[in-house]
Amino acid sequence: MNEPMPKPTNNQRYFTVWRWHFYAGIFAAPFLIVLAITALGMLFMSNTAGRDDDRLTVAIPASTSQAPVSIQAKNALSTLPNSTLVKYIAPRDTDTVALFQIKSDEHSNMVAVNPYTADIVQSTPSNSGLYSTFNDIHSDLLIGKVGDYLLETAASLTILMIFSGWYLWWQKRRSIKAMLIPNDTATNKKKRSFMRTIHATLGSWVSILLLFFLYFRNGMGRRMGRESRASMEPVSCG
């Protein structure tokens, strides 16, 4: 007669969850570091040069009236034969350029135009700047769908890491307040226990924000990407 399987003890369950927490962290951590670095890179570029060099400055003339947008667009289109206008970005300030994205059968350029004189300031291929490089790495690691699947897997394992971490820390503290605020006795114990307390407490705070970012990337981020692609249609400035 077969004997019933013994039920796992609390210690067995704890160490099983700990293993899941550890291996999920080992896989997800490199991707989270890449995402953090590229996000910081995009933030830095957008606040210095601008996403599409939209922070290029021009001299403000005595007469501050701007040239008609249709004239600016005509000059921008003249830089690329047989091109159509895809997008117009108004100057972000009184001393910055206007941007026109134009597209032909073979090329797509971003043209910076002086809004006062309608002169061409700069013309560069679209999505060729450092911001776009950071964005491409952040989106799919530069390897297309495979990179997207890897990031989705890392995001799922990060959620597993967060919830398993909460479970492990709850087993030690049994109080949300104690999970979020280290007590005085933690600093009086040996170094390993102190480091675990710092790791778990800091992780409890960071994980709340991390869950928000994971939701944004997996849910709203995809929808915003579809809307952005849908908006990239040729428009007329006649």
Side-chain angles (χ1 to χ4, degrees):
M1 193 171 179
N2 295 333
E3 295 182 359
M5 295 291 292
K7 294 183 178 181
T9 64
N10 287 337
N11 283 340
Q12 289 175 327
R13 186 181 298 109
Y14 180 91
F15 285 111
T16 298
V17 175
W18 182 90
R19 282 191 293 271
W20 277 104
H21 180 74
F22 176 78
Y23 289 122
I26 288 293
F27 181 88
F31 295 98
L32 294 177
I33 293 171
V34 170
L35 291 175
I37 292 174
T38 52
L40 286 174
M42 287 189 287
L43 185 63
F44 175 78
M45 293 304 301
S46 64
N47 285 278
T48 52
R51 177 172 179 173
D52 297 300
D53 290 332
D54 53 286
R55 292 183 180 271
L56 289 173
T57 58
V58 295
I60 302 176
S63 174
T64 57
S65 59
Q66 297 187 359
V69 175
S70 59
I71 301 299
Q72 298 179 45
K74 181 179 179 181
N75 289 352
L77 290 169
S78 67
T79 62
L80 186 64
N82 302 318
S83 60
T84 56
L85 180 62
V86 176
K87 180 169 59 176
Y88 164 67
I89 303 175
R92 63 186 305 129
D93 208 342
T94 56
D95 64 342
T96 55
V97 296
L99 292 178
F100 295 84
Q101 184 178 4
I102 59 176
K103 185 178 181 180
S104 66
D105 292 337
E106 298 180 354
H107 302 282
S108 177
N109 290 349
M110 189 67 74
V111 183
V113 177
N114 187 321
Y116 301 103
T117 64
D119 294 334
I120 304 301
V121 177
Q122 175 179 282
S123 180
T124 57
S126 300
N127 301 323
S128 62
L130 193 55
Y131 180 97
S132 297
T133 302
F134 282 129
N135 183 62
D136 291 340
I137 298 173
H138 194 83
S139 300
D140 55 21
L141 305 177
L142 300 179
I143 51 177
K145 287 187 176 180
V146 175
D148 191 51
Y149 293 150
L150 286 173
L151 291 176
E152 294 295 337
T153 303
S156 301
L157 289 176
T158 301
I159 295 173
L160 173 63
M161 179 182 67
I162 290 172
F163 283 107
S164 60
W166 284 353
Y167 171 84
L168 296 173
W169 197 223
W170 174 263
Q171 292 297 313
K172 294 292 184 181
R173 286 295 186 260
R174 298 289 181 176
S175 166
I176 294 178
K177 180 180 178 181
M179 290 173 64
L180 298 175
I181 303 174
N183 53 35
D184 294 335
T185 58
T187 59
N188 297 327
K189 296 181 179 180
K190 56 185 180 180
K191 182 177 179 181
R192 180 180 177 184
S193 179
F194 172 76
M195 295 303 297
R196 181 183 63 187
T197 300
I198 297 300
H199 167 81
T201 304
L202 184 62
S204 297
W205 284 101
V206 173
S207 61
I208 299 172
L209 294 175
L210 191 55
L211 278 176
F212 170 78
F213 285 117
L214 290 171
Y215 166 76
F216 181 82
R217 186 189 188 280
N218 294 344
M220 295 179 63
R222 284 182 174 276
R223 185 169 68 252
M224 290 176 65
R226 289 195 297 269
E227 292 174 356
S228 177
R229 287 191 293 271
S231 68
M232 298 291 287
E233 297 293 337
V235 297
S236 173
C237 276

